Amino acid sequence: MKNYGRTALSEFLSDRVVYRKLVPADPQLPGLDDLRSRLGIPDGGTPRKIEPDYARVIVAMLQAARRLDAPGSPIERLVYLGDTHMLDGTAFSNICQAGDWPGIAFIASESIKEPPALVEQGTFMLANRWALLADFERKCLEKGFPFDERTAVVIDLDKTAVGARGRNGQVIDNARVQAVEQTVAELLGTAFDPQAFRWVYDHLNQPRYHPFTADNQDYLAYICLMLISGLFDAHAMIAEVDAGRMVSFEQFIALVESRSTNIDPRLKSIHAEILANVQAGDPTPFKPFRSNEYHNTIGRFGCLPDDAPITELLSGEILITQEVRQAALKWRSQGSALFGLSDKPDEAALPDAKLAAAGYPALHQAITHSVGE
Ligand SMILES: [Mg+2]
């Protein structure tokens, strides 16, 4: 593994990036709200990554980008780089279907304990090394997928282009967990008990609690806050969840509201704000948490010295995946249409107006080291 120096995702993606709200960073491209009527997507909700409407929006953005860059060369095929078979795989299949394009996806999760393997499964190639991207490229060419101007290359950002899964992904998670902890600690002040927080967070962050937390980190942060604030006995509440009597976040926040006179006075306004956001259908209702996540995430970009040992970079900094960067630069130079997708909430990936004026970057513009084989 080698350090290839400092750069940003925008080196190869420019502003051709969307975060969860489906508003492209490039203002020349249409966003979700511009596309709703043409695509028949009702006002209000934002399609999630695994939904067919998400794919239809991405296809419209890709086509608009291609019309700008290479008007005579419509997209005819799709290459997708990602790190999760389920989430990225579903998005990939949906985009192929929505665009009526043949496609090939590279899904990697590094596992250096196993011998390197690139396993072909239908239109997927599953790799246990990011460096197998070079073999993937060869296979694409063999299958008649040249990286020319008629190929769109969609690159997942989180744990693919940055924080490669199995190699550096833990640093992204650490930034988020630290943001939850910091938010809860700031709100509770002297009443904050770090050990109690850790226990509740680690316990409820397990996949078997996803039906209760909706696998939503805003919900989980709010639940942790209320459970360690003394409003409930945390063990008793988790027993209620285990017994199937507390089944959803909506049920939980309604229970908190029904006891609102007993809420810690320090938490009354944040409870009211989150409840109002949830009732308005906002999927990221805990704004101070996401703002802390932005700071903790951006703070881990390029935070270590250039001569830091590779092991320290891998465990302490969010890194660009050199193999992805190298392939992307090459494919872009051959004319392919590159586009980055991130499932991060916009509040955790973009600076607000004040921070932007102070020079804070968007996640895809943040400078960090690029590391790879
Ligand atoms: Mg990902």
Side-chain angles (χ1 to χ4, degrees):
M1 210 81 76
K2 192 175 159 227
N3 178 356
Y4 288 80
R6 289 174 186 262
T7 186
L9 292 175
S10 53
E11 181 197 8
F12 51 93
L13 291 171
S14 307
D15 275 337
R16 298 285 164 82
V17 170
V18 279
Y19 299 98
R20 193 183 285 180
K21 280 186 186 158
L22 293 174
V23 178
D26 183 344
Q28 298 178 95
L29 300 183
L32 172 62
D33 284 338
D34 306 311
L35 295 164
R36 282 185 195 273
S37 62
R38 170 148 75 88
L39 299 180
I41 298 172
D43 285 350
T46 303
R48 293 302 305 271
K49 193 167 172 181
I50 54 167
E51 294 173 357
D53 277 350
Y54 180 95
R56 295 168 63 227
V57 169
I58 299 300
V59 165
M61 290 177 186
L62 285 168
Q63 287 170 330
R66 194 71 317 198
R67 276 194 298 272
L68 284 169
D69 299 340
S73 305
I75 296 165
E76 290 177 359
R77 58 188 92 83
L78 178 79
V79 170
Y80 190 108
L81 310 183
D83 66 285
T84 56
H85 200 171
M86 218 296 280
L87 205 60
D88 288 311
T90 306
F92 160 70
S93 302
N94 287 342
I95 295 170
C96 288
Q97 202 175 4
D100 195 19
W101 298 321
I104 306 182
F106 176 79
I107 306 287
S109 177
E110 194 139 286
S111 176
I112 50 168
K113 289 193 189 103
E114 300 162 18
L118 183 64
V119 177
E120 202 171 326
Q121 233 176 63
T123 54
F124 291 89
M125 294 204 200
L126 310 175
N128 60 5
R129 294 286 191 290
W130 287 96
L132 287 167
L133 199 47
D135 292 21
F136 169 78
E137 182 185 17
R138 257 194 308 280
K139 297 231 178 196
C140 286
L141 298 176
E142 281 169 21
K143 289 171 189 294
F145 269 68
F147 289 86
D148 62 15
E149 66 280 357
R150 289 174 192 261
T151 295
V153 180
V154 171
I155 303 176
D156 172 59
L157 299 195
D158 320 300
K159 300 190 183 174
T160 297
V162 290
R165 183 174 293 275
R167 176 192 284 177
N168 179 229
Q170 197 56 40
V171 189
I172 293 182
D173 294 337
N174 292 345
R176 196 182 55 216
V177 177
Q178 203 192 327
V180 178
E181 178 165 350
Q182 190 185 334
T183 309
V184 172
E186 283 166 1
L187 287 163
L188 281 172
T190 51
F192 179 67
D193 175 348
Q195 273 180 318
F197 166 79
R198 268 293 158 163
W199 185 82
V200 171
Y201 182 88
D202 289 343
H203 201 87
L204 289 178
N205 198 35
Q206 299 175 82
R208 68 189 165 102
Y209 289 101
H210 283 177
F212 174 51
T213 65
D215 193 16
N216 178 316
Q217 290 285 320
D218 289 67
Y219 293 178
L220 180 55
Y222 172 85
I223 293 166
C224 289
L225 179 67
M226 289 302 164
L227 289 190
I228 68 164
S229 73
L231 185 61
F232 305 100
D233 177 277
H235 289 84
M237 181 56 72
I238 286 172
E240 287 293 293
V241 177
D242 289 337
R245 288 189 291 268
M246 172 55 70
V247 297
S248 70
F249 178 73
E250 288 71 23
Q251 188 187 348
F252 180 79
I253 197 168
L255 181 64
V256 175
E257 176 63 10
S258 74
R259 299 188 183 182
S260 59
T261 50
N262 296 330
I263 294 176
D264 186 315
R266 285 170 288 211
L267 304 185
K268 286 193 183 213
S269 70
I270 189 70
H271 162 71
E273 183 190 325
I274 292 172
L275 181 64
N277 288 342
V278 169
Q279 286 169 343
D282 186 339
T284 54
F286 202 153
K287 302 304 174 192
F289 156 54
R290 292 302 183 176
S291 163
N292 281 332
E293 186 187 11
Y294 170 78
H295 283 286
N296 277 289
T297 301
I298 290 297
R300 281 169 170 78
F301 274 71
C303 58
L304 295 175
D306 291 344
D307 60 356
I310 293 293
T311 49
E312 273 179 38
L313 286 169
L314 290 173
S315 64
E317 189 172 283
I318 297 174
L319 303 166
I320 288 175
T321 310
Q322 171 63 21
E323 293 89 339
V324 171
R325 174 196 181 204
Q326 190 183 337
L329 285 170
K330 180 177 169 192
W331 298 339
R332 190 174 71 167
S333 75
Q334 294 170 4
S336 296
L338 269 53
F339 199 82
L341 300 185
S342 171
D343 201 30
K344 258 205 186 314
D346 295 51
E347 296 90 340
L350 301 169
D352 61 25
K354 208 169 134 191
L355 290 174
Y360 280 81
L363 193 143
H364 68 280
Q365 291 161 335
I367 306 276
T368 192
H369 294 99
S370 184
V371 169
E373 282 187 40

